[in-house]
Amino acid sequence: MRVSVGPLTSREIVFDIASVTAHHDCPDIPFSIRKNFLKIFDNPPPGSLVERYLGYLDGEPVGYLELDFPQLDNLELVGVDLMVLPGHRRQGLGRALYDVAVERAAAHDRKYLQGSSVDRHPDGKLFAESVGAKPGLTDIRSRLDVTALDEALLAELRSEAEKHAEGYTLRSWVGVPPDDLIDGVAYLEGRLNADAPTGDLVIEPEKMDADRLRQGEQSRQARGRVSYQTGALHDGRPVAWTWIVAEADQPVHAWQSTTIVDPDHRGHRLGMLVKIENLAYVRAAKPRLEAIDTFNAASNTYMLKVNRAMGFRAADAWIEWQKDL
Ligand SMILES: CC(C)(COP(=O)(O)OP(=O)(O)OC[C@H]1O[C@@H](n2cnc3c(N)ncnc32)[C@H](O)[C@@H]1OP(=O)(O)O)[C@@H](O)C(=O)NCCC(=O)NCCS
């Protein structure tokens, strides 16, 4: 077998390799719709510089490497997405792609590689260990079965939360936050890496402001995605915020993304309240929704407790690896 790595020659091949690999790793997560997947190439999030490579076995493209070099913060990191089609593993291609990642990290003066693997298959973990990467953080993917929600329980959780949240008002919107809220939402989003557990990963808070948040949302829309967002406001300022994102033409599946409460406003059940309100908001907009998935650090006991109370159940665990170069 001749192993080689070369520059990207076809975006369609990336979809083919990534969708088959994802289905093998996590068959219960619907993969991105092809036309939306292909939009990422021309619509990256702000501050992301991406390099892409194909891996070949005897001239056939069966592996893919994506390297993300953050440009606005986390300047010592490289995000690594590395995959080989299931039928072509253990022939040295993963290692050849990894060697390119190390070489490109040096060219960009980066000190750490970070990437993740799911626990359902041993391949990713054993590969990461074989290159000397260390587990930095364990994430749990939890799923909410929207077809089997306990409506009475949700109503009860909501009214309990409201009792603790006097003086706060809720507002929901789609996409870019309204002008009067966007600075406050950007502040909350910027806190995320400081507030949520990051384990042993070397990672710094994102430098977030209204412009970056707006551009991120515009790039998401250009990729065919719609985000449903809810904030809790105090004196007109958002102090808690959550959002769910789904592909516009994917009716049955969505992702629960960030939920964050300003430290000065914790203890008022605002995390629970914005999540329950936003769930109702997304269900009204997507009546055929069946499942919502979310990732939380295994050590994030508060968020996991809120999710569990709402009906989320653990689906699998992911390790976020770090290799110090
Ligand atoms: C991780 C992945 C890219 C490895 O691709 P690959 O082409 O099989 O990798 P290689 O053949 O170069 O394997 C390199 C070493 O990893 C280790 N390894 C990989 N899979 C293994 C397995 N199933 N059992 C034992 N060791 C394994 C071995 O040490 C192997 O060397 P060896 O074959 O000489 O013993 C592939 O399994 C994959 O696509 N997994 C899903 C995506 C993923 O998890 N990527 C992120 C990893 S952090």
Side-chain angles (χ1 to χ4, degrees):
M1 273 287 171
R2 196 170 53 82
V3 174
S4 61
V5 177
L8 192 70
T9 51
S10 156
R11 295 173 172 184
E12 299 281 342
I13 289 174
V14 176
F15 178 84
D16 295 341
I17 295 173
S19 56
V20 170
T21 304
H23 186 74
H24 176 262
D25 279 359
C26 284
D28 63 324
I29 303 178
F31 195 67
S32 176
I33 294 163
R34 181 183 286 264
K35 73 172 167 53
N36 291 334
F37 181 89
L38 294 174
K39 289 174 184 162
I40 181 84
F41 295 90
D42 296 322
N43 300 287
S48 141
L49 175 71
V50 177
E51 292 186 6
R52 299 177 167 92
Y53 300 88
L54 286 175
Y56 299 83
L57 284 178
D58 281 345
E60 192 193 342
V62 295
Y64 175 61
L65 171 67
E66 184 172 303
L67 300 173
D68 183 6
F69 302 92
Q71 299 295 298
L72 302 175
D73 42 53
N74 290 290
L75 300 176
E76 298 187 322
L77 298 187
V78 190
V80 180
D81 205 356
L82 191 159
M83 62 194 81
V84 172
L85 283 177
H88 299 272
R89 294 183 182 170
R90 298 304 296 279
Q91 300 186 73
L93 182 53
R95 192 59 191 249
L97 289 164
Y98 172 80
D99 289 344
V100 171
V102 172
E103 188 190 304
R104 297 308 299 153
H108 286 263
D109 219 10
R110 305 277 160 146
K111 289 190 186 151
Y112 309 102
L113 303 179
Q114 290 179 353
S116 62
S117 71
V118 66
D119 67 352
R120 290 197 184 182
H121 296 280
D123 294 2
K125 173 178 190 280
L126 293 167
F127 176 81
E129 285 172 351
S130 82
V131 299
K134 297 276 179 283
L137 184 70
T138 300
D139 290 322
I140 306 295
R141 175 173 66 99
S142 306
R143 168 162 290 191
L144 183 66
D145 180 352
V146 181
T147 66
L149 288 177
D150 186 337
E151 308 283 0
L153 174 75
L154 283 173
E156 193 186 314
L157 288 170
R158 191 192 162 112
S159 82
E160 265 307 302
E162 279 170 345
K163 284 183 201 152
H164 293 77
E166 221 169 286
Y168 295 89
T169 54
L170 296 177
R171 224 161 114 190
S172 300
W173 63 90
V174 168
V176 178
D179 285 349
D180 60 322
L181 303 185
I182 193 164
D183 288 321
V185 172
Y187 168 76
L188 291 174
E189 171 72 347
R191 288 199 63 94
L192 186 67
N193 285 351
D195 289 6
T198 49
D200 295 327
L201 298 172
V202 174
I203 194 159
E204 59 184 38
E206 286 185 328
K207 288 195 180 115
M208 188 55 67
D209 59 20
D211 280 347
R212 185 172 176 185
L213 193 84
R214 186 179 293 107
Q215 286 165 28
E217 187 53 45
Q218 286 164 347
S219 117
R220 199 171 291 123
Q221 282 171 22
R223 288 185 268 126
R225 285 155 172 82
V226 181
S227 67
Y228 302 88
Q229 315 196 9
T230 294
L233 277 51
H234 192 261
D235 291 336
R237 195 169 68 85
V239 295
W241 172 60
T242 191
W243 56 287
I244 290 174
V245 63
E247 289 180 67
D249 30 21
Q250 161 55 277
V252 298
H253 184 261
W255 288 95
Q256 165 69 56
S257 193
T258 310
T259 302
I260 186 159
V261 180
D262 188 313
D264 292 345
H265 295 268
R266 296 201 181 143
H268 294 278
R269 307 237 177 133
L270 296 178
M272 175 75 86
L273 196 56
V274 290
K275 276 191 125 154
I276 292 181
E277 176 78 0
N278 205 43
L279 175 61
Y281 187 57
V282 76
R283 287 175 74 203
K286 294 181 85 75
R288 290 173 55 204
L289 196 59
E290 292 176 6
I292 302 177
D293 283 317
T294 191
F295 283 104
N296 303 103
S299 55
N300 196 345
T301 39
Y302 172 70
M303 201 74 262
L304 285 166
K305 200 173 148 201
V306 168
N307 287 344
R308 195 167 170 81
M310 286 176 68
F312 280 90
R313 294 292 175 264
D316 45 33
W318 294 68
I319 298 175
E320 293 191 50
W321 299 92
Q322 178 170 300
K323 170 71 183 177
D324 301 2
L325 299 174

